[in-house]
Amino acid sequence: MLSFSASFRSNLSSLYNPLLSTNPVHKMATLARASRRLIPRTLSTRIIGRSFSVESAQAPPQSRPPAPVIRESPDRVKWDYRGQRKLIPLGQWAPKVAVDAYVAPNVVLAGQVVVHDGASVWNGAVLRGDLNKITVGFCSNVQERCVVHAAWSSPTGLPAETLVERFVTVGAYSLLRSCTIEPECIIGQHSILMEGSLVETHSILEAGSVVPPGRRIPSGELWAGNPARFVRTLTHEETLELPKLAVAINDLSKSYFSEFLPYSTVYLEVEKMKKSLGISI
C-alpha cells in the first residue's frame, strides 16, 4: 500500500506540476494526458454509448404523415358500359332511334343520326353525324365496327349526307362517307365508299372494294376491286335474294333486342333489401 500511494503521488505530481505553468498549451496537453491515464477506455466508451442511447430514447419519435385517402368525387358522372355513351347530342341535333330498332350497347350515335324501324346497328359501330345527316333506312343493318361519317359538302356537288336506304346490308369493318346506297343492296366487308359515290338498287359490292369519290355503280351489277370495277350483271334470281339477307339479320336482331328491357329491374332488389331489414315498402 505504501508503494502504491507513493507511486500515485508521483504520478499526480508529474501530472499537476505542469498545470502551474503559465503556458496554456502546456496546461491543455497535461489535462489530456491526465484524462487518458485516470479514466479507462472501456469505461469512457460505455459512458458515451449510454449517453447516446439515453438521448435517442428521450427523443420524440418522428411521426410519418398519414397516407392520402382517395375518395370518389360526388360530381363524377357514372356512365353506362365502361364510361361510353350510346347517344351523344351535338348542339340542337340529337340521334333518333325507332322503338323497334336494335342498337348495340357499345355503338356510338352522335349528332344528326336517324335509325328507322326494323334497322339494326351492331357492336362497335360509330355513326358520326356531327357535320351532316346520316340515315339508316327500314330493315337495313350496319354491322360490326363500321364507321359512317358525313362531310360538310361533297366535291362532286352531290348531297353530302350519308343515306342508307331500306333492306341494305353493310358488312363489318366498312367505311361510308357522304355516300348514297339505294334499296336492296349488299356492301361487302371492309369496303370503302368515298364522298359522292352512289350504289344503285339491286347491286352488290364485293368485300374489300373501294369506290372512289363520285363513282356510280349502276343497278343490277356486281362490282369489286380497288378501285371498284364492273364484274358482271346479276341474274333476276340473285336480285330477288338481296332483301332476304337484310330480313334474316333483322330477325336475328330481335333475339338480341329481347335481352334489353324497356325499364330497369333494380327496384326488385331494393324491395328485397327493405324486406330483409324490416322496412315497410
Side-chain angles (χ1 to χ4, degrees):
M1 290 295 290
L2 293 174
S3 61
F4 174 76
S5 60
S7 62
F8 186 71
R9 286 197 206 95
S10 63
N11 289 335
L12 289 177
S13 61
S14 63
L15 290 173
Y16 291 108
N17 285 336
L19 293 175
L20 302 176
S21 176
T22 58
N23 192 344
V25 177
H26 291 172
K27 290 182 178 181
M28 296 299 294
T30 304
L31 288 175
R33 287 197 298 270
S35 63
R36 284 198 297 269
R37 291 182 182 181
L38 296 177
I39 302 176
R41 288 187 178 181
T42 56
L43 182 60
S44 62
T45 54
R46 288 177 183 174
I47 293 173
I48 295 172
R50 287 178 181 176
S51 64
F52 279 119
S53 62
V54 170
E55 290 178 0
S56 62
Q58 292 178 353
Q62 296 181 356
S63 59
R64 295 183 179 180
V69 180
I70 300 176
R71 294 185 177 89
E72 185 178 359
S73 174
D75 299 330
R76 181 177 180 271
V77 180
K78 297 180 181 178
W79 306 116
D80 293 334
Y81 203 81
R82 299 182 182 179
Q84 180 170 326
R85 299 173 62 187
K86 185 163 65 173
L87 304 178
I88 303 177
L90 296 176
Q92 61 179 341
W93 306 106
K96 299 178 181 179
V97 181
V99 176
D100 60 344
Y102 169 69
V103 178
N106 58 340
V107 168
V108 176
L109 306 180
Q112 307 177 58
V113 179
V114 179
V115 182
H116 285 278
D117 300 318
S120 57
V121 183
W122 294 81
N123 303 75
V126 178
L127 280 69
R128 287 178 48 205
D130 47 4
L131 302 180
N132 220 316
K133 186 178 180 181
I134 297 174
T135 304
V136 181
F138 171 76
C139 205
S140 294
N141 59 88
V142 178
Q143 296 180 10
E144 290 84 354
R145 303 289 181 180
C146 288
V147 177
V148 184
H149 192 221
W152 280 111
S153 60
S154 176
T156 59
L158 297 173
E161 67 179 49
T162 301
L163 176 60
V164 179
E165 294 197 13
R166 63 186 184 275
F167 295 105
V168 173
T169 298
V170 180
Y173 294 91
S174 296
L175 171 62
L176 311 181
R177 179 174 171 86
S178 296
C179 60
T180 300
I181 305 175
E182 292 187 350
E184 301 181 10
C185 292
I186 295 178
I187 308 300
Q189 298 177 359
H190 293 271
S191 297
I192 300 176
L193 281 73
M194 301 304 294
E195 293 91 341
S197 57
L198 171 63
V199 181
E200 293 186 352
T201 183
H202 296 151
S203 298
I204 297 178
L205 190 65
E206 285 193 355
S209 302
V210 178
V211 182
R215 181 67 57 88
R216 168 179 165 268
I217 298 179
S219 175
E221 294 183 358
L222 172 65
W223 285 52
N226 182 12
R229 295 181 177 88
F230 171 76
V231 178
R232 63 179 177 86
T233 303
L234 298 177
T235 63
H236 179 66
E237 289 76 12
E238 289 175 335
T239 58
L240 293 178
E241 294 294 326
L242 294 179
K244 294 182 181 179
L245 177 60
V247 173
I249 295 177
N250 180 32
D251 294 338
L252 181 62
S253 67
K254 291 179 181 178
S255 61
Y256 286 82
F257 190 79
S258 62
E259 296 297 324
F260 298 91
L261 299 176
Y263 51 88
S264 174
T265 57
V266 179
Y267 73 95
L268 296 176
E269 300 298 326
V270 175
E271 290 180 357
K272 290 180 182 178
M273 184 180 66
K274 287 183 176 180
K275 187 177 180 180
S276 62
L277 297 176
I279 302 175
S280 60
I281 301 175

